[in-house]
Amino acid sequence: MNSPLGDGAPPAPSGTADRIDTRFAGVAARAAARTAACDADGTLTYGELDRLADEIAHHLDDRTGPGRLVALRAARSRYAPGAVLGILRSGAAYLPVDPNYPQARQEYLLGDSGTELVLSDSGLLADETPIAEVGPFVLASRSTSRADGSAAPQLPADTAYVIYTSGSTGNPKGCMVGHAQVLALMDAAVPLLGTGADDVWTLFHSLSFDFSVWELWGPLLYGGRLVVVDREAATDPLEFARLLAARNVTVLNQVPSAFGNLVAEAVAEQVRLPDLRRVVFGGEALVPADVQRWWAAGIAPDALLVNMYGITETTVHVTYCPLTPETLAGAVPGRTPIGRPLPHLTVTLRDAEGRPVPAGEPGEMCVGGTGVSHGYLERPDLTAARFVDAGDGSGRYYRSGDWAVADGEGLLHYAGRQDGQVKLRGFRIELGEIESALRALPGVSGAACLVTLDGHGDQALTAYVVADPGTVRAAAVRTALAERLPGHMVPQHVRHLDRLPVTPHGKLDRAALAA
């Protein structure tokens, strides 16, 4: 779209490396008076955000540098982007530590990473000693005594951030992502969306969730405006819908669980979002029924909805798939369309031995290209197992553990986790297939399914539905599913909820359901 800042990604200032912070500095120099970020309490211009970043970088001088980490414990406010930029401008990488995490979780992230410095607007932990105040933030030092007595790690010099992802069998692991990988994403994906300086984005997700990386730099590297959504609004779908309307938001990024809650409230309250131009999905498998409800209600008639499958280890987004009624009509239950790889990435589908699978056969998504991250912090064995050399000169690829199928035109369809099946009474069951059938029932606006234990300690399938219990009765749900699914896939229990619980990242909180 037309932009007073020019088309395409802003170039790095002459004589500097192409980094996130230097690209932002170029935008700020040309558009100092434009509004960069706002929250419920005020706004910051590009010039003001740039000066905050400079001030933070100044206080970090001689205390950190390339290859080192600074923890960022920041609330969702208009100042948070300045804190990220200040850490990057010092040469260091940032480690987001969500202030809403339990203290034990925060201490684990800090201890495992060996972080020596913390920038916080949300209080300090007992072993953190204040050094300086800068804007709303306190810079503090902390003890680096690690459980194994080792020194703080040295990261690749290009590292921009380390985000911890959950481990399937143990503790969280830190993924190291570089400036070049983030900028490769932006250079590839932003032109496909057609967004620019006239657009208004939301920062909806926690900085500890890598979707926030996309939400930050999609507007701020292109002269756009960022609306920072506080925690209260992010967890209240109706308040969030009203915020989108009041702030004239044009680009919305959502995980499907949160989007489903938003659709339910927007439909019920007849909210309209005429300014919205793009809705980007990521972080979870798409829920086609919610997209269809959105279209049917006419909530945002001019908005293009785009499904962008992604992985933290390959820098946020991997594929791009504009959604149409025809696209969804052809989707098989349990398999949602995710489209084609972004221009800077490749995706091959491989079997358990790493061999490409024939067309039409399911395979593990293996992602190569300039978005593949540096690997896991101080986990060389795990890095070697998941980041694999292709052996043909094309470089490394990341084994995602996600399954997909390519159709006759080469479009990818997500088919679930490699480990997404459960085994119950001798049958292998894909929970996603049951959830898809639940969502297709009249009156059901949200659904999930888990394997639970009954009072005798026996395993059972439990369905959770967002529906009126007076009109969508449990017995009727089971009867309807029995018409579509084999008997071993019909849930023994059906529980009604007002809303599906989501994590601070906006994903479906399966642990809360299980509890």
Side-chain angles (χ1 to χ4, degrees):
M1 61 191 304
N2 293 331
S3 165
L5 301 177
D7 295 327
S14 177
T16 64
D18 195 10
R19 298 166 46 91
I20 296 167
D21 49 298
T22 53
R23 282 218 190 169
F24 175 84
V27 176
R30 298 192 298 275
R34 288 176 68 92
T35 297
C38 62
D39 59 20
D41 299 316
T43 65
L44 288 175
T45 66
Y46 273 87
E48 290 168 333
L49 204 56
D50 194 56
R51 288 190 290 275
L52 175 60
D54 265 345
E55 188 177 357
I56 290 171
H58 172 74
H59 284 282
L60 288 170
D61 278 351
D62 302 324
R63 292 190 171 102
T64 190
R68 306 300 292 274
L69 272 174
V70 175
L72 176 58
R73 186 185 297 121
R76 302 187 192 189
S77 80
R78 65 189 185 278
Y79 299 104
V84 173
L85 285 163
I87 294 171
L88 297 180
R89 195 164 289 180
S90 75
Y94 72 97
L95 169 70
V97 178
D98 194 311
N100 294 297
Y101 279 172
Q103 182 172 326
R105 175 78 167 200
Q106 295 190 40
E107 289 174 344
Y108 173 82
L109 300 184
L110 294 165
D112 184 73
S113 64
T115 303
E116 300 170 329
L117 295 171
V118 178
L119 188 66
S120 176
D121 64 2
S122 303
L124 301 178
L125 301 183
D127 63 346
E128 297 170 357
T129 304
I131 298 172
E133 293 186 8
V134 48
F137 297 95
V138 174
L139 178 63
S141 62
R142 63 180 307 275
S143 168
T144 57
S145 56
R146 306 173 81 189
D148 60 3
S150 60
Q154 186 73 22
L155 285 63
D158 177 56
T159 305
Y161 60 85
V162 171
I163 281 182
Y164 274 73
T165 63
S166 60
S168 59
T169 59
N171 291 319
K173 54 192 181 296
C175 182
M176 303 177 291
V177 180
H179 287 262
Q181 292 141 14
V182 174
L183 295 178
L185 165 70
M186 307 313 298
D187 290 345
V190 168
L192 289 176
L193 280 184
T195 60
D198 295 333
D199 279 297
V200 181
W201 294 52
T202 54
L203 176 60
F204 178 86
H205 301 93
S206 164
L207 295 179
S208 294
F209 180 24
D210 72 329
F211 215 163
S212 67
V213 174
W214 168 253
E215 291 182 295
L216 281 169
W217 310 122
L220 294 181
L221 295 187
Y222 299 85
R225 178 178 300 188
L226 181 66
V227 176
V228 181
V229 183
D230 62 35
R231 182 175 173 79
E232 290 70 25
T235 55
D236 184 332
L238 180 55
E239 182 180 347
F240 180 52
R242 290 170 174 164
L243 174 68
L244 295 176
R247 295 285 189 171
N248 307 110
V249 170
T250 65
V251 181
L252 172 64
N253 300 278
Q254 291 275 272
V255 297
S257 295
F259 181 73
N261 291 335
L262 174 65
V263 172
E265 293 293 346
V267 170
E269 298 297 325
Q270 298 185 338
V271 176
R272 296 294 178 264
L273 303 172
D275 295 305
L276 199 59
R277 299 195 318 110
R278 301 287 185 268
V279 180
V280 176
F281 299 110
E284 284 179 341
L286 186 72
V287 180
D290 290 334
V291 175
Q292 290 160 346
R293 288 190 187 96
W294 171 276
W295 284 333
I299 294 169
D302 297 327
L304 171 67
L305 276 59
V306 180
N307 196 23
M308 295 181 77
Y309 162 87
I311 319 167
T312 300
E313 287 85 348
T314 56
T315 316
V316 191
H317 294 310
V318 172
T319 66
Y320 178 89
C321 183
L323 299 176
T324 66
E326 293 73 24
T327 302
L328 293 189
V332 176
R335 293 183 179 178
T336 52
I338 56 175
R340 302 184 187 279
L342 291 168
H344 68 305
L345 297 172
T346 61
V347 173
T348 55
L349 303 182
R350 299 174 182 264
D351 62 20
E353 284 71 43
R355 298 170 301 203
V357 300
E361 293 294 322
E364 182 182 11
M365 295 181 69
C366 296
V367 184
T370 55
V372 178
S373 71
H374 295 310
Y376 299 117
L377 178 65
E378 294 196 307
R379 303 284 180 91
D381 293 344
L382 185 57
T383 298
R386 302 304 294 269
F387 294 81
V388 181
D389 192 308
D392 58 5
S394 62
R396 296 187 311 159
Y397 65 81
Y398 175 72
R399 295 189 57 187
S400 70
D402 288 326
W403 286 91
V405 176
D407 65 18
E409 297 180 354
L411 296 178
L412 295 168
H413 296 257
Y414 180 72
R417 286 291 301 171
Q418 188 173 14
D419 52 3
Q421 293 180 330
V422 297
K423 192 171 184 179
L424 188 64
R425 293 186 292 278
F427 292 100
R428 291 192 176 276
I429 297 171
E430 176 58 56
L431 296 178
E433 186 175 353
I434 302 173
E435 292 170 347
S436 178
L438 286 165
R439 295 187 191 102
L441 299 179
V444 175
S445 61
C449 188
L450 296 179
V451 175
T452 59
L453 297 178
D454 63 19
H456 301 288
D458 295 325
Q459 287 187 321
L461 287 172
T462 298
Y464 302 85
V465 295
V466 180
D468 180 359
T471 56
V472 182
R473 298 184 182 276
V477 169
R478 298 186 73 252
T479 299
L481 292 185
E483 295 176 355
R484 297 187 54 179
L485 301 173
H488 65 270
M489 296 183 69
V490 177
Q492 286 78 18
H493 309 291
V494 178
R495 302 189 185 282
H496 288 80
L497 301 174
D498 293 329
R499 183 180 302 158
L500 291 176
V502 295
T503 68
H505 293 167
K507 292 187 176 183
L508 176 66
D509 192 341
R510 293 188 180 271
L513 281 179

